[in-house]
Structures are given as C-alpha cells and as structure tokens.
Amino acid sequence: MTRLGKICTSCGRLTDRYVLFKCPSCNKTEIVRCDECRLNHTKYKCKECEFEGP
Ligand SMILES: [Zn+2]
Ligand SMILES: [Zn+2]
C-alpha cells in the first residue's frame, strides 16, 4: 500500500508522516496531523463542528 501525502489540518503543509483520526467531537471529519504538529501539540480545528483540540 502506498502512503500518499496528506495536508496537515494544523499547519496546512503536505506531509507523508502523519496521524489520521476522526474528530473526537463530531466523528465526521478526518483530522490529519503531521509529526511536527503532533510533537509541538499544535492545535487543530474541525471544519465541521469547530472543535479545537491538541
Ligand atoms: Zn502540521
Ligand atoms: Zn468535528
């Protein structure tokens, strides 16, 4: 399986080292977080429900 790059939800950069998970609040949107944002605990914001989380 090829792992294509994704756009990080937090910083907007294209990354191929990321974690992908569903929004813990609405469970609708997929949140992408690159390694850097994960380590720096950069906030992300769900575009569906405006949930902000670390
Ligand atoms: Zn990022
Ligand atoms: Zn949400």
Side-chain angles (χ1 to χ4, degrees):
M1 183 182 128
T2 332
R3 204 173 188 199
L4 293 171
K6 288 248 184 203
I7 303 287
C8 172
T9 307
S10 298
C11 67
R13 278 183 295 196
L14 186 68
T15 174
D16 59 1
R17 307 183 114 231
Y18 59 86
V19 284
L20 182 70
F21 54 95
K22 287 269 169 66
C23 168
S25 178
C26 67
N27 221 39
K28 283 184 201 163
T29 31
E30 282 184 335
I31 311 284
V32 181
R33 277 190 113 196
C34 69
D35 262 11
E36 211 172 302
C37 288
R38 198 165 50 85
L39 291 170
N40 294 329
H41 305 286
T42 313
K43 278 186 182 173
Y44 60 84
K45 194 174 190 181
C46 171
K47 52 182 183 281
E48 195 73 37
C49 68
E50 308 246 301
F51 173 82
E52 267 187 55

